[in-house]
């Protein structure tokens, strides 16, 4: 396979990446008034589209400001590259050795928020494309770079794109690791609403995607609850008034590695203050992080077991509420699980209220797209790492026949969302060469 990338491409790509990284494209908008995610994201989108124009592409900017894209080539079929331009906040500036939006090059690395997630990979794909164009290759399919603007929050950009724009035939998402990620679990976040209580007042838990590390109870017969918890071996502190159950907080996608403080509290509480919501937790969840008592075994070879997290529990005089976060193996339709869950909660008088649902990603390993990308990656790197699966999420799942592909290498340090986020120039250029070959094979052969 040929080397596509010249020194000129390398130099131009660094200039372009510096421009993107120096724009602090953190979401500051409300998603409603224009620009929906703030001026910096709008500026970054405009800059990305202007770079695409210098590369000979035809650009389009969504008048509502949710997304933009850049097209090249001709033909029936459309190959898409899905990128995002928003970044997470820089965090504590004192933890950075160089300014977070300085785009400083130090030790052969370009440093700045977004350099790895996802501006560096975006630029690698764009200049990979440029290298193919510069070779005079004929595009038999159209290529489209789609730029999303709220990947780090609610993906409203992709919702708008999918509602209004052409669907690609296939494509890839440079927002993950090499080699190919072909399967990502589905996501379901739900609230279960039930009756209130005059005996129990509770407000435990934080975000859907976190296993609660602590749960507090105070109120009627707290000493009896404390005794019961002690008897069944639940770790807690009790000051005569307030019980604090101590668990272990972890991300919901690895719920089995944590200890859910709410579930622990419920195991004791149920004996002293029976209440439909507490009973549900004690009888149908207990120590389980795989939803076994509710759904039976939900597990597949590709993406493993269901993860089931009770993220929060609140009870007051008026109502009670549980928040659940489920990560669902790709071969199980989310709808089937919803049906079972509704049946199981019904006798407890709980009402199902959906908060968020995102289908998983699955493209078979035998699929031509996966095979093509794997062959390119292997011949370019001699690395034989097998295709990957993930509990995390990329844009790949928003469209058919898409996979995540790079641009982090298995050996790269993962610095996304951290201080001193940076991308090694060597890796940037190597990814660029892999993307050039990919674009050539997908669009020109
Ligand atoms: Zn990303």
């Amino acid at each position: 396979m040929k080397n596509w990338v010249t020194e000129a491409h390398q130099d131009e790509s660094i200039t372009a990446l510096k421009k993107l990284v120096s724009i602090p494209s953190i979401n500051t908008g409300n998603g409603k008034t224009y620009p929906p995610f703030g001026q910096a994201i709008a500026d970054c989108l405009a800059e990305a589209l202007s770079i695409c124009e210098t590369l000979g592409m035809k650009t389009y900017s969504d008048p509502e400001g949710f997304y933009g894209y850049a097209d090249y080539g001709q033909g029936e079929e459309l190959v898409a590259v899905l990128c995002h331009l928003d970044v997470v906040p820089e965090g504590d500036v004192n933890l950075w050795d160089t300014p977070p939006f300085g785009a400083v090059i130090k030790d052969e690395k370009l440093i700045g928020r977004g350099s790895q997630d996802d501006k560096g990979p975006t630029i690698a794909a764009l200049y990979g494309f440029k290298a193919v164009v510069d070779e005079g290759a004929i595009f038999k399919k159209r290529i489209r770079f789609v730029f999303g603007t709220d990947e780090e929050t609610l993906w409203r950009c992709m919702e708008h794109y999918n509602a209004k724009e052409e669907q690609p035939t296939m494509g890839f998402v440079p927002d993950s690791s090499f080699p190919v990620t072909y399967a990502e679990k589905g996501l379901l976040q739900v609230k279960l609403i039930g009756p209130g209580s005059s005996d129990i007042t509770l407000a435990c838990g934080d975000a859907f995607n976190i296993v609660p590390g602590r749960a507090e109870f105070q109120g009627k017969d707290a000493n009896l609850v404390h005794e019961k918890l002690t008897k069944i071996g639940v770790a807690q502190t009790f000051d005569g008034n307030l019980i604090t159950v101590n668990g272990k907080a972890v991300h919901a996608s690895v719920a089995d590695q944590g200890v859910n403080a709410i579930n622990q509290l419920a195991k004791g509480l149920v004996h002293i203050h029976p209440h439909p919501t507490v009973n549900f937790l004690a009888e149908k969840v207990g120590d389980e992080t795989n939803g076994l008592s509710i759904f039976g075994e939900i597990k597949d070879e590709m993406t493993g077991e269901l993860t089931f997290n009770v993220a929060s529990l609140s009870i007051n005089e008026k109502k009670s509420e549980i928040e659940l976060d489920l990560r669902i193996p790709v071969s199980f339709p989310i709808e089937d699980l919803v049906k079972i869950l509704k049946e199981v909660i019904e006798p407890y008088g709980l009402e199902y209220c959906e908060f968020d649902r995102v289908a998983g990603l699955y493209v078979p390993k035998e699929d031509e797209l996966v095979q093509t990308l794997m062959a390119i990656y292997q011949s370019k790197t001699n690395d034989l790492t097998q295709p990957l699966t993930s509990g995390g999420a990329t844009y790949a799942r928003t469209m058919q026949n898409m996979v995540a592909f790079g641009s982090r290498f298995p050996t790269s340090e993962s610095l996304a969302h951290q201080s001193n986020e940076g991308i090694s120039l060597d890796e940037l250029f190597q990814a660029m060469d892999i993307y050039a070959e990919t674009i050539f094979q997908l669009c020109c052969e």
Side-chain angles (χ1 to χ4, degrees):
M1 270 177 204
K2 69 186 264 102
N3 283 323
W4 293 91
V5 176
T6 64
E7 216 165 289
H9 297 130
Q10 296 182 349
D11 293 345
E12 287 166 29
S13 72
I14 290 175
T15 308
L17 181 53
K18 280 185 163 178
K19 280 186 191 158
L20 293 186
V21 171
S22 65
I23 303 171
S25 49
I26 300 161
N27 191 338
T28 56
N30 56 16
K32 293 187 178 83
T33 46
Y34 184 88
F37 308 123
Q39 192 56 45
I41 286 180
D43 291 347
C44 197
L45 178 59
E47 184 64 61
L49 293 176
S50 133
I51 291 168
C52 291
E53 275 165 23
T54 68
L55 304 183
M57 306 179 95
K58 211 173 145 228
T59 64
Y60 175 81
S61 189
D62 168 38
E64 292 180 272
F66 284 90
Y67 61 88
Y69 57 79
D71 288 348
Y72 189 86
Q74 54 256 290
E76 271 288 291
E77 292 185 45
L78 181 66
V79 173
V81 184
L82 310 181
C83 312
H84 71 89
L85 297 170
D86 57 317
V87 297
V88 296
E90 68 274 27
D92 184 352
V93 176
N94 296 316
L95 297 175
W96 288 75
D97 299 333
T98 60
F101 299 99
V104 173
I105 294 180
K106 198 179 134 196
D107 304 328
E108 293 302 301
K109 260 173 145 183
L110 193 150
I111 298 160
R113 173 61 78 233
S115 54
Q116 225 181 34
D117 179 18
D118 185 38
K119 293 171 176 176
T122 298
I123 288 294
L126 277 173
Y127 283 81
F129 157 78
K130 174 73 156 74
V132 177
V133 172
D134 286 350
E135 281 292 318
I138 307 291
F139 280 66
K140 297 177 189 160
K141 294 177 191 158
R142 289 170 295 137
I143 185 165
R144 171 171 293 179
F145 281 81
V146 180
F147 300 102
T149 53
D150 76 329
E151 198 275 344
E152 301 294 358
T153 45
L154 281 170
W155 294 20
R156 287 158 285 191
C157 50
M158 284 298 139
E159 236 169 74
H160 281 247
Y161 179 93
N162 283 330
K164 293 200 275 187
E165 305 291 346
E166 180 181 351
Q167 289 298 301
T169 325
M170 68 169 95
F172 66 91
V173 180
D175 190 18
S176 182
S177 299
F178 284 124
V180 174
T181 302
Y182 70 99
E184 297 171 355
K185 281 181 176 173
L187 173 76
L188 181 67
Q189 294 175 330
V190 170
K191 297 181 184 203
L192 306 181
I193 313 290
S197 162
S198 48
D199 290 344
I200 320 171
T201 306
L202 276 176
C204 313
D206 303 305
F208 273 104
N209 60 5
I210 299 180
V211 173
R214 156 196 176 109
E216 293 178 340
F217 173 78
Q218 59 183 343
K220 206 174 148 206
D221 298 327
N223 56 326
L224 297 179
V225 177
H226 164 65
E227 272 170 35
K228 192 70 203 175
L229 287 170
T230 308
K231 214 167 161 189
I232 56 177
V234 170
Q236 51 169 328
T237 56
F238 181 49
D239 65 4
N241 183 28
L242 174 73
I243 297 170
T244 305
V245 173
N246 299 306
K248 186 181 168 203
V250 293
H251 193 269
S253 62
V254 289
D256 59 324
Q257 294 167 26
V259 178
N260 191 309
I262 290 174
N263 295 347
Q264 297 304 308
L265 175 62
K267 287 197 301 187
L269 202 55
V270 71
H271 297 281
I272 313 299
H273 294 299
H275 174 277
T277 302
V278 177
N279 297 0
F280 166 76
L281 291 178
E283 290 164 15
K284 293 295 175 186
V285 185
D287 290 326
E288 292 171 6
T289 55
N290 57 5
L292 188 68
S293 299
I294 297 173
F295 303 105
E297 189 178 61
I298 304 289
K299 183 181 182 179
D300 68 27
E301 222 175 90
M302 289 158 303
T303 42
E305 236 181 353
L306 171 76
T307 59
F308 183 92
N309 178 40
V310 175
S312 77
L313 168 65
S314 64
I315 304 179
N316 58 41
E317 281 203 347
K318 289 201 183 96
K319 68 165 194 174
S320 58
E321 182 178 305
I322 295 171
E323 289 181 330
L324 300 176
D325 177 297
L326 286 75
R327 312 270 159 151
I328 301 164
V330 282
S331 50
F332 292 85
I334 294 182
E335 198 48 47
D336 293 1
L337 270 71
V338 170
K339 200 167 156 258
I340 298 171
L341 182 60
K342 283 181 178 169
E343 283 165 12
V344 172
I345 62 174
E346 216 231 285
Y348 294 93
L350 299 175
E351 188 196 328
Y352 177 95
C353 257
E354 197 160 303
F355 179 75
D356 198 10
R357 178 197 296 220
V358 190
L361 162 74
Y362 177 60
V363 177
K365 270 198 263 190
E366 303 70 35
D367 185 271
E368 202 186 321
L369 176 64
V370 176
Q371 296 282 326
T372 304
L373 302 190
M374 285 302 292
I376 293 168
Y377 174 76
Q378 289 181 350
S379 77
K380 286 282 183 190
T381 61
N382 294 321
D383 171 25
L384 296 179
T385 304
Q386 288 305 295
L388 310 167
T389 68
S390 161
T394 67
Y395 280 167
R397 61 174 72 192
T398 63
M399 294 177 198
Q400 293 296 309
N401 213 12
M402 283 280 162
V403 293
F405 186 49
S407 75
R408 246 182 358 263
F409 290 89
T411 49
S412 326
E413 204 181 347
S414 174
L415 294 166
H417 301 199
Q418 297 175 38
S419 45
N420 298 318
E421 177 179 351
I423 187 164
S424 133
L425 297 182
D426 273 351
E427 290 178 356
L428 178 74
F429 303 148
Q430 198 185 1
M432 204 177 290
D433 185 50
I434 292 170
Y435 289 143
E437 182 67 36
T438 303
I439 290 166
F440 176 73
Q441 289 198 19
L442 293 183
C443 300
C444 308
E445 282 204 316

